Amino acid sequence: MASSRDSETDVAVVGGGPAGLTAAIALAAAGVATCVIAPRARPDNRTTALLMGSVTALATLRVWERCAADAAALRTMRIVDATARLLRAPEVAFSSAEIGCDAFGYNIENRHLAVALAARAAELAALARIDDTVQEIEVTEDRATLRLAGGGHVRARLVIGADGRNSRCREAAGISLTSRRYPQTALTFNLGHARPHHDASTEFHTESGPFTLVPLPAAPGRAHRSSLVCVLDPADAARLQAFDDAALGDEIERRAHSILGKVTVEPGRGVFPLEIATARTFARDRIALIGEAAHVIPPIGAQGLNLGIRDGATISEVVVAAHRAGDDVGAADVTAGYDRLRRADVTSRTIAVDLLNRSLLTDFLPVQGLRGLGLYLVDQVGPLRRAVMREGIAPTAATPRLMRGETL
Ligand SMILES: Cc1cc2nc3c(=O)[nH]c(=O)nc-3n(C[C@H](O)[C@H](O)[C@H](O)COP(=O)(O)OP(=O)(O)OC[C@H]3O[C@@H](n4cnc5c(N)ncnc54)[C@H](O)[C@@H]3O)c2cc1C
């Protein structure tokens, strides 16, 4: 039975995280009637390193201008083998100037990005927002019907599942995952430090995983700041998590080899068990998955949300094209096209991150040797080095129009 809360739209985006809002803004800015359904977000102290392609997409969508001042440029990326193993990799440092770029990307606290996305979304007449949770999705031949927890339904030609790693949309589409848990936990928080970061991120490779410091902008009373993602054995993570701020600051300074001087821990620690998961298909029966609903990868090499933004840019591009042609935006050829366009990018990044992570955990000497050799070659061979840097910020397998600075 229809209720006063029933509505009809071209596209329903389930989930109001950064991937979902990026897709919704791109669609609505191009005139596609779009509805975002999500409960209002809780504050998040995490930060995200956005690579240049993502920054270009957000700038094209007029989101970046609202949060650029809250982001810190990443101009140097350093990888340091801090393991005590027999075969160690050489230290490698990449500079964005080597490939003619001002920066590889920018690091931003998620809360600033969320505010910027919400403000841009609120400006768009074609974008409706429902603060609710989707409980059930029923798909028929010509549309999907979403039942909301607060009562009422939304009917749409296409559902974009941007509802995170425990995606109800994925479940409704009957799409399974290949997934694995790692014996690792990421401890995250932001910190002040005595010495400047000089726009450089440093990833120390340790036996338990990467320990990554990424620049943040200054804040009142703190001239020098960075974010930290510290991947640890779960018992070590629990031990550090129990430290008070002063003891944790001393421990982090020690593990960072004092490169940033004395460390002061900011409030708001996060603990994330590491896992990797990929949906077997990214779309089926009028439901297309983006962001962590489609793939979860460990926080190594800043890939997760950058992939999610590429998903959002790609699904919006194929849907806008179908809409302009007067076609059904949820038709099987549209969703199959999206799946095809995303497969190589997601698969290659997932494999690379998985291999790198497992090469750190293993005690198997040949694998450690290969990791060291790989980094040595990247460091020494100029064309390979520049190709790796370019591929890192703008993947050849996936450059949707928004990432080239073109509006839809
Ligand atoms: C420690 C750590 C560090 C990271 N660092 C980086 C980095 O530097 N660079 C990078 O690119 N990535 C990074 N990532 C990955 C990045 O954080 C994620 O890829 C990103 O947050 C996922 O965004 P999303 O929009 O897909 O999902 P989420 O942010 O999880 O959003 C899901 C949304 O769906 C909503 N939702 C869920 N169920 C329903 C429902 N039934 N109905 C309605 N709404 C629903 C939720 O309320 C939420 O709004 C990091 C991850 C971790 C854990």
Side-chain angles (χ1 to χ4, degrees):
M1 194 173 68
S3 90
S4 58
R5 296 204 54 204
D6 285 356
S7 59
E8 192 117 16
T9 185
D10 286 331
V11 180
V13 177
V14 182
L21 284 179
T22 300
I25 290 168
L27 288 164
V32 179
T34 304
C35 169
V36 174
I37 308 162
R40 287 280 160 183
R42 283 170 290 144
D44 184 340
N45 279 306
R46 260 183 303 162
T47 64
T48 301
L50 292 169
L51 300 173
M52 233 28 236
S54 301
V55 173
T56 302
L58 293 170
T60 311
L61 293 172
R62 307 208 26 230
V63 172
W64 191 246
E65 63 204 45
R66 294 158 206 268
C67 58
D70 299 309
L74 307 177
R75 297 197 166 93
T76 304
M77 288 187 172
R78 239 171 12 131
I79 300 175
V80 181
D81 189 338
T83 64
R85 286 178 172 142
L86 189 61
L87 293 180
R88 294 220 304 264
E91 180 174 326
V92 185
F94 301 105
S95 160
S96 59
E98 291 178 62
I99 50 167
C101 293
D102 177 49
F104 288 119
Y106 288 81
N107 193 34
I108 186 165
E109 288 171 71
N110 290 6
R111 62 195 172 99
H112 294 305
L113 180 60
V115 167
L117 285 162
R120 177 65 179 131
E123 277 183 352
L124 296 165
L127 184 49
R129 184 154 187 161
I130 299 177
D131 297 345
D132 208 335
T133 303
V134 170
Q135 268 199 334
E136 202 181 326
I137 303 171
E138 192 200 338
V139 180
T140 53
E141 205 190 322
D142 64 344
R143 63 182 170 183
T145 302
L146 300 94
R147 186 164 64 78
L148 308 182
H153 299 82
V154 174
R155 294 186 180 82
R157 293 269 174 204
L158 174 71
V159 176
I160 296 183
D163 47 346
R165 54 184 72 191
N166 301 312
S167 169
R168 179 147 297 186
C169 295
R170 191 178 64 228
E171 191 187 299
I175 299 173
S176 59
L177 284 177
T178 45
S179 64
R180 179 156 17 103
R181 282 198 177 269
Y182 295 110
Q184 292 161 296
T185 297
L187 180 63
T188 66
F189 50 89
N190 300 333
L191 40 96
H193 39 83
R195 292 195 202 121
H197 49 57
H198 297 300
D199 305 331
S201 74
T202 306
E203 185 166 292
F204 291 99
H205 287 176
T206 79
E207 284 89 347
S208 65
F211 171 105
T212 311
L213 290 158
V214 191
L216 279 177
R222 286 184 207 281
H224 309 304
R225 298 173 66 230
S226 292
S227 58
L228 172 70
V229 177
C230 183
V231 176
L232 300 163
D233 159 81
D236 197 23
R239 194 174 67 81
L240 261 59
Q241 175 66 332
F243 283 9
D244 65 22
D245 285 352
L248 185 59
D250 289 347
E251 180 63 15
I252 294 306
E253 181 186 344
R254 188 183 69 76
R255 292 187 187 213
H257 303 264
S258 290
I259 57 166
L260 296 173
K262 181 158 180 54
V263 164
T264 315
V265 173
E266 294 185 2
R269 304 179 193 178
V271 177
F272 302 88
L274 292 208
E275 60 178 317
I276 195 159
T278 311
R280 286 189 199 274
T281 173
F282 299 142
R284 179 183 289 161
D285 297 340
R286 296 190 177 273
I287 299 177
L289 305 176
I290 70 170
E292 287 202 335
H295 43 73
V296 178
I297 59 177
I300 298 172
Q303 293 299 322
L305 183 56
N306 286 287
L307 280 174
I309 291 181
R310 295 208 280 280
D311 300 338
T314 305
I315 187 71
S316 51
E317 188 172 321
V318 296
V319 167
V320 167
H323 185 254
R324 295 230 168 102
D327 295 339
D328 175 357
V329 297
D333 59 334
V334 176
T335 51
Y338 165 70
D339 177 60
R340 208 169 39 247
L341 285 166
R342 293 305 298 139
R343 192 50 60 181
D345 185 27
V346 173
T347 306
S348 60
R349 305 278 151 168
T350 303
I351 291 172
V353 168
D354 182 43
L355 282 179
L356 174 61
N357 191 33
R358 288 205 280 167
S359 77
L360 290 174
L361 294 178
T362 185
D363 282 326
F364 190 49
L365 214 56
V367 174
Q368 291 169 26
L370 274 178
R371 183 170 58 85
L373 177 65
L375 279 172
Y376 173 78
L377 289 174
V378 167
D379 188 39
Q380 297 292 316
V381 181
L384 176 63
R385 182 182 167 83
R386 287 186 288 278
V388 165
M389 283 189 263
R390 286 207 187 88
E391 188 62 24
I393 58 173
T396 43
T399 317
R401 286 177 53 188
L402 288 171
M403 303 208 138
R404 301 195 298 262
E406 298 166 21
T407 51
L408 298 183

